[in-house]
Each structure stands twice: as structure tokens, then as C-alpha cells.
Amino acid sequence: MKLIRTGAEWNPLWLNHLRNNQQIGLVPTMGALHDGHLDLVAKSRSTCDVTLVSIFVNPTQFNNPEDFQKYPKTLDLDLEKLTQAGVDYVFLPSVEEMYPAPTQLKFYFGDLEHVLEGKFRPGHFNGVGIVVSKLFHLIRPHVSFFGQKDLQQVAIIKRLVADLSFDLKLEVIPTRREVDGLAMSSRNLRLSPQERLTALLLFSSLEKAKTELLNGKSWFEIQVEIRSGFENEPFAQLEYLELIHPDSFETYTVFDSIQKSSICVAAFIGAVRLIDNMPIIS
């Protein structure tokens, strides 16, 4: 496994793989890797000739400076995991490499900016769009792999690829969960033992909502029940629980069994903000 820190280091390697007609897979990450990330790596290795994982904690996508400062950093363990997983390259750029000058360009993703993550994390998607565009330009992959847990992020990256005509394919990999159902997330490392137990409320709420929707209960009643459940948990604060179309992110007030739909949830568990989602009709 080769470590690369600049685009200039990657250029001759990329050209060599291109000459050999080899497909390059990119797995963008911010480190603190877990088995969900390794699922993306495994998918890349099974479908591409070359796999490159980027590790960069991107400052421009954090609307909360404290969240940026406390984001887990486990580089030595990450590199050990990636070596064992058979990764070919790891891209470890500095902030100066990714942002040699302050970025003046702003991305605006239309209606996606006003719902769920767009509404509660202003500026977040602009930062995601900028860093993902930079990675696509620097690495020039044939395929890039993302996790379903960040469902709205996947939607904005799809829009980015379509609107800017990036010549690559996106692959979305299902959410990897712990045995008890908690969606794997780097932020889980920040949870205390008590908060870790409380965090199961996200998954149990999604399961409950899905079951009751499919059994005919109204979405309004389900929302009221789940909000009440969060209010009774001293370590939890619900931010949103919405029924949405998984492509457009239009929010529904009434469930329609013939429309594609997913439920998305975000909540603070202690000081840690977690998100999750569950498909209802695919």
C-alpha cells in the first residue's frame, strides 16, 4: 500500500494505470474507519483494478467548529485496517494541498439545501460539494463509492456529477450496522457507554415507524409517538424525523405504498449528532 500526499505524486501513477486500461476506484473518507468504510473498500476491490482511499477531515463541511475539533482521528489504526483490506493507495492530503487559497466558489444544490441536513446544517453541502469535486479532479477515478447512511449526501453528489458532467460512476453501498442495529459511524467513538445505549433509539424508531406505516398507521401519529419517545430520554434530543422521497428529498405528509420512500432521522445523543435512514418502498 502506497501513501500519497499530493496530486503531483498521484499524476504519474494515474497515467500508468490509465495506459494499462485499469479501472480506478475511489473511496472518500474522513478517517476513523469502521466496517462500513471497509464495505466500500471491498466493493471497490471486487469491481475495480485499483483502489484508492482518501483520508481528509474536510474543514469546509463542518458548520459547527466544535464538531470539527472533536472529530475522531485514528490514522495509525486506519492505515493498518486499509493494509489488511488490500488497498493499493491512500491519499493523505494536507489542508494546504486541498485548499491552497480560500475557496471563493459556492455550490447551491437547490431544494436539497432547504430540507433535513440542508436545513439544519447550513453550508454543509457546499463544503461537501467543494471537497468531493476536488477529489474527483485530483484522483480522476472511474468509480467512486459512498455509503447509504449519508443518504442526502449521496443525493447531492449525484446532482454534482450530473450537473458538472464528471466522467465517473457512483456506487452506493447499504448501511453497515452493529449487531444491535446502530448504524456504524465514526462519531460513535465519541459516545459514552450510556449514550451508546441511548443511541439505539434512532434505529428502534426507524424500525417502529416502518412497521407501523406498512400496517396502516398515519405518518402524523407515528411522528407524535416517536417524538414522545425521544422526549422521555434525557440523553437524546430529536432534530428531525421525516418521510421523504429518496431521490428528490420531497417530504411526505401521507404515506403512499406505490411511491418510493425512506424515513430519515437526526438526533443529538449527548453532544454527538447522529443520523440514520431506512428505506420503506424501494
Side-chain angles (χ1 to χ4, degrees):
M1 187 173 76
K2 184 175 178 62
L3 304 186
I4 300 163
R5 298 187 183 275
T6 68
E9 288 179 65
W10 171 244
N11 285 339
L13 299 167
W14 170 80
L15 188 57
N16 184 57
H17 291 303
L18 197 65
R19 286 172 174 158
N20 290 326
N21 200 31
Q22 291 178 303
Q23 285 240 321
I24 298 166
L26 168 65
V27 180
T29 82
M30 294 203 298
L33 303 181
H34 50 68
D35 285 349
H37 294 113
L38 298 181
D39 285 348
L40 308 185
V41 169
K43 184 65 174 179
S44 177
R45 292 194 69 236
S46 70
T47 56
C48 298
D49 303 298
V50 177
T51 294
L52 182 150
V53 175
S54 65
I55 298 177
F56 179 65
V57 183
N58 175 39
T60 66
Q61 71 186 67
F62 286 83
N63 59 312
N64 181 343
E66 184 179 356
D67 190 25
F68 174 63
Q69 293 298 328
K70 292 185 175 181
Y71 195 85
K73 298 175 179 65
T74 58
L75 181 59
D76 290 344
L77 183 58
D78 292 346
L79 295 178
E80 183 180 323
K81 289 178 178 179
L82 295 177
T83 299
Q84 293 173 356
V87 167
D88 300 290
Y89 300 98
V90 179
F91 184 46
L92 294 169
S94 64
V95 173
E96 292 73 24
E97 172 70 12
M98 295 301 288
Y99 297 100
T103 303
Q104 302 299 316
L105 184 69
K106 298 289 184 185
F107 280 106
Y108 178 71
F109 292 96
D111 49 336
L112 291 173
E113 298 277 2
H114 305 294
V115 294
L116 308 190
E117 295 299 285
K119 177 180 178 180
F120 286 94
R121 300 184 68 188
H124 170 63
F125 288 144
N126 174 63
V128 171
I130 288 171
V131 78
V132 170
S133 296
K134 285 174 175 280
L135 287 170
F136 287 169
H137 282 302
L138 287 166
I139 305 304
R140 289 153 288 177
H142 298 90
V143 190
S144 191
F145 299 85
F146 295 88
Q148 181 189 311
K149 185 180 77 69
D150 296 301
L151 190 64
Q152 196 171 1
Q153 177 175 281
V154 168
I156 71 116
I157 293 169
K158 285 180 177 177
R159 191 166 293 185
L160 187 79
V161 168
D163 286 1
L164 297 184
S165 301
F166 280 108
D167 187 18
L168 57 84
K169 179 183 177 184
L170 296 179
E171 286 269 4
V172 182
I173 310 303
T175 301
R176 172 69 84 97
R177 298 185 178 278
E178 305 286 358
V179 174
D180 56 12
L182 181 67
M184 290 189 178
S185 169
S186 301
R187 288 182 170 85
N188 292 349
L189 295 173
R190 293 179 53 198
L191 298 170
S192 71
Q194 179 60 57
E195 289 167 346
R196 172 64 179 74
L197 287 172
T198 304
L200 295 177
L201 189 55
L202 277 79
F203 178 63
S204 64
S205 295
L206 290 173
E207 281 200 312
K208 174 185 174 70
K210 179 175 183 176
T211 298
E212 293 190 341
L213 270 180
L214 295 176
N215 285 336
K217 183 171 280 191
S218 78
W219 177 237
F220 176 77
E221 288 179 287
I222 292 168
Q223 282 182 305
V224 169
E225 285 182 9
I226 290 175
R227 287 186 186 282
S228 176
F230 271 90
E231 287 168 1
N232 291 328
E233 279 288 350
F235 291 98
Q237 180 182 346
L238 182 65
E239 195 165 67
Y240 64 72
L241 177 79
E242 296 290 352
L243 180 66
I244 57 100
H245 190 289
D247 299 325
S248 67
F249 273 75
E250 174 191 357
T251 56
Y252 297 136
T253 55
V254 177
F255 175 61
D256 184 341
S257 62
I258 63 171
Q259 290 274 11
K260 289 174 66 175
S261 59
S262 293
I263 302 172
C264 295
V265 62
F268 280 93
I269 306 298
V272 182
R273 186 177 185 274
L274 300 178
I275 63 172
D276 201 353
N277 66 85
M278 183 173 288
I280 308 301
I281 305 294
S282 301

